[in-house]
Amino acid sequence: MKGKPLASIVSAGLSKFGKLEGLYAREIFAQAAKEAYERCPRLDPKKDIKALFIGHMGESYEHQGHTGAAVADWAGLLHIPAIRTEAACSSSGVALRAAIYAVASGLCDVVMVGGVEKMTHRSTSEVTEFLAMASDFPFEQWYGITFPGLFALMATAHMHKYGTTEAQMAHVAVKNHYNGSLNPKAHMQKEITLEQALSSRVIAWPLKLFDCSLITDGASCLILTRPDIAKKYTDTPVHIIGTGQASDTIGLYEREDFTSLRAAKLAAKQAYEMADVTPEDIDVAEVHDCFTIAEIIAYEDLGFCKPGEGGRLAENGETTLRGRIPVNTSGGLKAKGHPVGATGTAQAYEIYLQLTGQAEKRQVDDAEIGLTHNVGGSGATATVHIYIKG
Amino acid sequence: MTEPLTFTIEQFYKNINQKKLTGGKCLTCGKIHLPPRPLCDNCLSTQFKWVELPRKGTLLTYTIIHVAPSQFQKMTPYAVGIIQLEHNVNLPGIIKDTPLDKIKVGMPLEVELEEAPQSQHWPQWPRYYFKPA
Ligand SMILES: CC(C)(COP(=O)(O)OP(=O)(O)OC[C@H]1O[C@@H](n2cnc3c(N)ncnc32)[C@H](O)[C@@H]1OP(=O)(O)O)[C@@H](O)C(=O)NCCC(=O)NCCS
Ligand SMILES: [Zn+2]
């Protein structure tokens, strides 16, 4: 089982990320699907794709549930089975695992997996309220605790326990904005300075505007096949060799430690063992930087550094594009944007580009092994995937 | 066979209305649950009793919220934190009656119970809050 391909990515698509005014979620998904079809001329989508797995977090944004069938239709894929998964910001990370089950079980030869969210037509307070639904209602939402608030609680704890600083968090923002400035599909394509990040207005202390991911519209998708038939569709597949997923308490407050995400550590352990690789083997990673502190905690949970050293890793530039282990070359959730349901497979899209040498100005030299880390809510769900160049 | 479920979140808030801060103690393994739950996650027992919890605790972590959901917008900025009560149970909530710049990790806080808001809508739950001990 170790190191054995579980499923192969033969194509991928990503809509523009940003404020996509006047578009409905399924219309945005159609853009991503079209790119995936065009990238893979040997695929006959209507004939070959046997199921759709789609991550989508909220009905509230567009007053629209039952996303699976609606998206399948708009992607031109009726009447295949369409399965929607919901795990907050990890909705499409979970969809990816479901798609791997389908392919690895032999039930389907080819499937499409993706995610979508349309958010920017709502006011910030509405979005804040909808996002908060992924936290515990009776004890967190009921007391006005927001998502920036939950990650701020982790940041305060991390600062208190390890001496992590606001400046170290700002380094994550500066790096991800720089990477985003090189990504033509990113929501925000502008560089920022450390001073700008540190002096931005407070959202949930100690987190400021530039510590937060963006409210974004967007969609992403991948075409997955059984590994043994991948070469039929492309000469340059990317194989998924490790997958991990774990859960934790819905309420942050019920956990023993607020400076680490247990679910992410467990998911990473499963994925590393299955892939038979270690953190040192990872050439490029997309991690869930919904807030800058989340990226710092991700470094630690994924074993890129020891617990408590994540802040220094960022400060020393070890995760920049030309650093020891480049993280969030796409710009991450911080600059590329965070259409919550789309994020998991959008991370996989970036790794697909990197491992097939298509990341243009963001290309990491000789990237062969990649990793994605996708967190739902305050960490009640986490998924980790490991990829290898085919 | 269908016994009414008593160790519920609804009942926790009803107890707050009676001015009691309570948890559910598992009669099999002794774990104290806050919130209460009808099935012990530790030993899978369904046998509990209510225990009144100490009101004094220590602040484990906190934040000051400036961008809030619609219903809380009028209150901004406000502080929320997670406190640890004796018996190793944690509780999140709003911190009141103290200047925001005086809040510190490790400070002692006390749980105060409020009346339920007069509302026609679900949930008709009261709230508790934290204040300096
Ligand atoms: C941080 C946040 C509250 C800011 O929203 P806001 O106060 O309504 O800000 P506005 O939309 O009015 O934007 C004001 C300006 O800041 C910019 N901006 C907004 N959010 C930004 C962010 N996160 N980072 C950097 N700049 C941002 C806008 O582009 C705009 O710039 P402009 O004036 O040059 O056009 C919002 O982006 C947010 O909630 N982010 C977190 C989302 C989240 O929790 N996701 C789930 C994670 S689990
Ligand atoms: Zn028990």
Side-chain angles (χ1 to χ4, degrees):
Chain A
M1 190 72 181
K2 275 197 170 181
K4 181 172 150 269
L6 305 162
S8 304
I9 306 175
V10 299
S11 187
L14 189 81
S15 73
K16 171 78 178 77
F17 271 24
K19 264 193 187 145
L20 308 178
E21 261 167 61
L23 292 183
Y24 213 64
R26 61 183 92 144
E27 295 159 352
I28 302 171
F29 189 83
Q31 288 182 21
K34 182 68 179 165
E35 181 188 330
Y37 301 158
E38 282 177 357
R39 269 180 192 279
C40 195
R42 291 186 231 159
L43 178 83
D44 180 348
K46 282 183 175 294
K47 192 169 132 283
D48 296 334
I49 299 174
K50 295 291 193 266
L52 169 73
F53 297 85
I54 178 95
H56 180 235
M57 179 185 164
E59 287 77 14
S60 313
Y61 298 102
E62 296 182 309
H63 221 272
Q64 180 69 64
H66 210 160
T67 326
V71 165
D73 189 3
W74 256 248
L77 296 178
L78 286 186
H79 298 276
I80 61 168
I83 298 109
R84 173 227 176 147
T85 56
E86 190 278 310
C89 310
S90 192
S91 292
S92 58
V94 167
L96 178 53
R97 254 180 85 86
I100 293 170
Y101 292 153
V103 168
S105 68
L107 207 59
C108 300
D109 288 347
V110 182
V111 302
M112 179 181 253
V113 52
V116 66
E117 214 76 54
K118 175 74 178 87
M119 308 170 78
T120 66
H121 57 296
R122 295 296 199 142
S123 71
T124 297
S125 61
E126 283 176 316
V127 172
T128 302
E129 190 175 324
F130 299 160
L131 286 169
M133 289 180 192
S135 67
D136 183 59
F137 179 73
F139 291 90
E140 292 179 337
Q141 294 173 53
W142 188 240
Y143 295 91
I145 305 181
T146 59
F147 261 97
L150 286 165
F151 280 87
L153 290 170
M154 297 182 213
T156 305
H158 209 276
M159 290 162 80
H160 186 76
K161 183 167 176 188
Y162 297 118
T164 302
T165 64
E166 292 178 55
Q168 289 173 333
M169 293 190 253
H171 274 285
V172 173
V174 171
K175 167 182 74 72
N176 291 353
H177 270 279
Y178 172 74
N179 293 348
S181 76
L182 305 177
N183 182 354
K185 285 190 174 170
H187 183 161
M188 259 197 185
Q189 298 170 32
K190 69 166 193 199
E191 290 184 56
I192 58 158
T193 63
L194 201 64
E195 294 66 43
Q196 246 178 306
L198 283 169
S199 61
S200 60
R201 72 191 145 94
V202 178
I203 303 298
W205 184 89
L207 302 181
K208 296 168 284 300
L209 182 68
F210 283 104
D211 290 301
C212 302
S213 56
L214 295 157
I215 293 170
T216 304
D217 308 325
S220 56
C221 70
L222 312 168
I223 308 289
L224 284 196
T225 72
R226 264 177 29 212
D228 57 311
I229 60 168
K231 286 272 162 84
K232 188 175 145 193
Y233 296 101
T234 176
D235 297 332
T236 55
V238 164
H239 304 302
I240 301 178
I241 53 172
T243 174
Q245 181 180 336
S247 53
D248 203 345
T249 59
I250 181 82
L252 175 71
Y253 65 96
E254 290 195 80
R255 307 194 196 143
E256 268 169 38
D257 186 3
F258 309 131
T259 63
S260 167
L261 299 180
R262 184 101 188 265
K265 283 205 287 202
L266 292 169
K269 187 166 185 290
Q270 291 167 30
Y272 282 134
E273 282 179 6
M274 200 182 284
D276 201 14
V277 303
T278 66
E280 291 73 40
D281 297 322
I282 305 298
D283 298 316
V284 56
E286 289 283 301
V287 310
H288 200 88
D289 60 324
C290 51
F291 300 94
T292 51
I293 185 63
E295 179 163 327
I296 287 173
I297 291 175
Y299 298 159
E300 300 171 6
D301 290 345
L302 293 168
F304 296 166
C305 63
K306 293 202 186 80
E309 290 181 357
R312 248 167 291 145
L313 203 69
E315 190 173 10
N316 296 343
E318 293 190 55
T319 54
T320 58
L321 210 43
R322 303 284 164 244
R324 177 169 68 83
I325 169 158
V327 174
N328 285 333
T329 59
S330 68
L333 287 49
K334 172 69 273 260
K336 181 184 62 184
H338 186 24
V340 285
T343 285
T345 39
Q347 295 176 321
Y349 174 90
E350 179 72 6
I351 296 297
Y352 171 77
L353 293 188
Q354 289 287 359
L355 301 188
T356 52
Q358 303 182 73
E360 300 178 340
K361 289 182 191 155
R362 320 186 297 285
Q363 185 63 45
V364 172
D365 297 336
D366 306 320
E368 290 200 349
I369 299 182
L371 176 147
T372 56
H373 157 278
N374 185 204
V375 173
S378 64
T381 298
T383 55
V384 172
H385 287 92
I386 298 175
Y387 311 76
I388 193 163
K389 186 177 170 169
Chain B
M1 281 297 284
T2 48
E3 279 174 38
L5 288 176
T6 12
F7 292 88
T8 58
I9 290 164
E10 187 70 27
Q11 188 60 46
F12 167 85
Y13 277 115
K14 282 189 178 146
N15 294 350
I16 292 222
N17 260 341
Q18 305 298 315
K19 296 278 171 210
K20 282 186 181 142
L21 180 71
T22 52
K25 182 172 181 174
C26 174
L27 294 177
T28 310
C29 76
K31 180 170 174 180
I32 293 178
H33 294 274
L34 179 65
R37 39 171 94 197
L39 175 67
C40 178
D41 67 324
N42 187 41
C43 73
L44 307 184
S45 161
T46 50
Q47 304 299 309
F48 298 92
K49 69 168 185 192
W50 288 106
V51 287
E52 213 169 324
L53 296 169
R55 301 279 191 91
K56 285 197 169 53
T58 311
L59 186 62
L60 297 176
T61 186
Y62 70 99
T63 174
I64 317 284
I65 295 189
H66 290 250
V67 176
S70 323
Q71 328 86 277
F72 289 87
Q73 253 174 342
K74 280 200 289 286
M75 274 173 62
T76 58
Y78 56 94
V80 299
I82 301 174
I83 66 167
Q84 182 162 58
L85 303 171
E86 282 168 38
H87 303 315
N88 237 356
V89 287
N90 292 351
L91 197 62
I94 297 174
I95 306 167
K96 291 189 190 171
D97 303 341
T98 180
L100 295 179
D101 59 358
K102 291 282 179 296
I103 299 174
K104 294 274 175 301
V105 170
M107 77 191 284
L109 290 171
E110 200 173 343
V111 185
E112 191 66 36
L113 310 181
E114 285 184 342
E115 302 279 300
Q118 297 300 311
S119 166
Q120 298 306 308
H121 303 282
W122 178 88
Q124 284 125 332
W125 295 335
R127 286 188 172 85
Y128 56 79
Y129 64 90
F130 307 142
K131 63 173 194 189

